[in-house]
């Protein structure tokens, strides 16, 4: 979003997506999303970052509460959105759909995935799913005090190397690691730091099918940055993504379907054997 300096909220489709997702698009340089399993300290971190500069309401069309905050760091204005806690982005619960749609269509400049250092195995499942969607990820390795108390040693450097994205050890409740996190986020959003997220290597047949879908998805949704993820979900038969494509609700997040795109839509439908 930060790259989108167009100031034309009515015509820019990235802006359109954010408005649809309920984000007040005025007055920020970078948009940060906080994702993570429940009880990992997302809200604690959210409060530490945004203090009293918070606004709560509902996610558009949902009964789930959403919190949005703002803060400044090194002269940049950040907006931060506290996503619902989820274990995955794949199933169809309302919380997971909200988190997934925000990461997918809200185009945040950085997704901070807050993880529980004492339960890495469970938490990394979500991290890997987020990494499939975006490479703009920083992992906040929280509850390091609990890990220590339990005699667990978590090697943040090694984890960062394995995941291909920065990992910042934190004790959010005590504000420990917050500065390091903010510096890392800033380096990422300003392009000083590049990530190389670990991604699943697909079976050659599936890869071929993905390659067939990609050009159509790119033509239909030129502003999305994660066509590959969409293609994989479609091939998997993910009902909510399939529904979104077929009922054209994704297209509404873009500019209206141009006539030349009808061909891509029918190719896509044919490929999916609808
Ligand atoms: N020991 C410890 N507790 C924490 C830390 N961060 C958050 N908590 C606590 O963990 C619980 C869940 O935190 P919360 O921010 O609500 O998690 P959320 O569900 O991810 O939003 C609260 O009781 C917090 O005070 C931390 O770094 N260390
Ligand atoms: Mg919370």
């Amino acid at each position: 979003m930060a790259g989108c300096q167009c100031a034309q909220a009515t015509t820019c489709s990235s802006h359109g997506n954010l408005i649809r997702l309920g984000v007040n698009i005025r007055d920020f340089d970078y948009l940060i999303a906080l994702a993570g399993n429940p009880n990992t300290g997302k809200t604690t971190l959210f409060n530490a970052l945004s203090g009293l500069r918070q606004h709560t309401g509902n996610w558009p069309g949902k009964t789930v509460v959403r919190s949005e905050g703002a803060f400044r760091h090194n002269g940049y204005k950040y907006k931060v959105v506290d996503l619902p806690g989820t274990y995955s982005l794949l199933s169809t619960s309302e919380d997971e759909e909200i988190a997934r749609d925000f990461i997918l269509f809200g185009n945040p400049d950085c997704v901070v995935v807050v993880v529980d250092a004492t339960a890495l195995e469970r938490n990394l499942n979500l991290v890997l799913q987020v990494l499939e969607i975006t490479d703009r990820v920083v992992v906040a390795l929280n509850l390091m005090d609990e890990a220590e108390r339990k005699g667990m040693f978590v090697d943040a450097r090694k984890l960062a190397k394995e995941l291909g994205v920065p990992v910042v050890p934190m004790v959010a409740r005590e504000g420990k690691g917050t500065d390091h996190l903010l510096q890392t986020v800033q380096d990422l959003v300003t392009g000083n730091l590049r990530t190389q997220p670990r991604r699943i290597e697909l079976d050659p047949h599936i890869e071929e099918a993905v390659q067939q879908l990609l050009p159509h998805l790119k033509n239909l949704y030129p502003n999305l940055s994660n066509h590959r993820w969409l293609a994989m979900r479609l091939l998997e038969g993910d009902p909510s993504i399939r529904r979104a494509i077929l009922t054209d609700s994704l297209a509404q997040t873009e500019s209206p379907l141009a006539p030349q795109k009808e061909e891509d839509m029918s190719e896509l439908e044919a490929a999916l054997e609808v």
Side-chain angles (χ1 to χ4, degrees):
M1 254 313 287
C4 182
Q5 308 269 331
C6 67
Q8 288 168 342
T10 49
T11 51
C12 167
S13 74
S14 277
H15 273 140
N17 279 353
L18 287 176
I19 293 168
R20 198 180 60 87
L21 292 162
V23 175
N24 175 354
I25 58 166
R26 279 168 302 160
D27 205 30
F28 66 90
D29 298 314
Y30 297 110
L31 175 64
I32 311 295
L34 297 182
N37 291 6
N39 282 316
T40 52
K42 287 180 302 303
T43 302
T44 306
L45 178 61
F46 174 80
N47 290 336
L49 293 176
S50 54
L52 294 175
R53 297 197 61 198
Q54 293 186 5
H55 170 78
T56 43
N58 276 2
W59 288 90
K62 315 267 184 191
T63 52
V64 180
V65 174
R66 62 168 283 155
S67 310
E68 192 177 297
F71 66 93
R72 277 174 183 271
H73 178 69
N74 284 349
Y76 293 110
K77 286 187 244 174
Y78 287 89
K79 170 155 285 194
V80 56
V81 175
D82 191 10
L83 295 176
T86 60
Y87 294 104
S88 139
L89 297 176
L90 298 178
S91 104
T92 49
S93 81
E94 203 170 42
D95 284 356
E96 294 190 3
E97 209 164 300
I98 288 169
R100 184 199 63 197
D101 282 1
F102 195 83
I103 296 170
L104 197 55
F105 306 122
N107 219 8
D109 295 290
C110 178
V111 180
V112 173
V113 189
V114 185
V115 303
D116 177 349
T118 69
L120 266 192
E121 201 172 312
R122 189 180 63 212
N123 282 251
L124 287 179
N125 181 36
L126 179 71
V127 176
L128 291 172
Q129 287 181 23
V130 175
L131 290 182
E132 289 291 331
I133 301 185
T134 172
D135 53 8
R136 288 172 287 183
V137 174
V138 174
V139 172
L141 184 61
N142 197 32
L143 294 139
M144 285 299 273
D145 57 336
E146 281 295 312
E148 197 174 326
R149 205 176 56 81
K150 291 183 177 170
M152 301 167 81
F153 173 71
V154 186
D155 189 340
R157 269 173 204 241
K158 193 162 177 199
L159 190 58
K161 218 170 164 191
E162 291 282 336
L163 294 172
V165 296
V167 175
V168 179
M170 300 195 67
V171 184
R173 201 165 62 177
E174 295 167 20
K176 283 188 190 159
T178 314
D179 288 346
H180 183 189
L181 179 77
L182 286 176
Q183 190 54 47
T184 309
V185 167
Q186 184 185 311
D187 286 345
L188 187 96
V189 298
T190 54
N192 286 337
L193 188 157
R194 298 214 177 275
T195 60
Q196 276 197 309
R198 164 176 280 226
R199 291 200 169 133
I200 299 158
E201 213 171 294
L202 297 175
D203 171 279
H205 289 101
I206 301 175
E207 183 61 48
E208 199 184 318
V210 165
Q211 292 304 325
Q212 276 176 17
L213 291 180
L214 277 183
H216 304 303
L217 288 170
K218 282 181 184 165
N219 282 343
L220 285 168
Y221 312 113
N223 292 305
L224 292 185
S225 54
N226 21 51
H227 302 97
R228 193 180 165 77
W229 188 87
L230 267 188
M232 282 169 10
R233 294 288 82 72
L234 282 172
L235 289 168
E236 223 176 57
D238 182 313
S240 63
I241 289 285
R242 216 178 148 93
R243 200 168 50 240
I245 296 263
L246 297 177
T247 61
D248 222 18
S249 70
L250 279 189
Q252 288 162 16
T253 72
E254 298 274 339
S255 51
L257 275 189
Q260 72 267 22
K261 290 182 175 174
E262 277 170 19
E263 203 177 314
D264 289 298
M265 189 53 108
S266 35
E267 290 276 342
L268 203 60
E269 284 173 9
L272 295 166
E273 294 168 341
V274 220

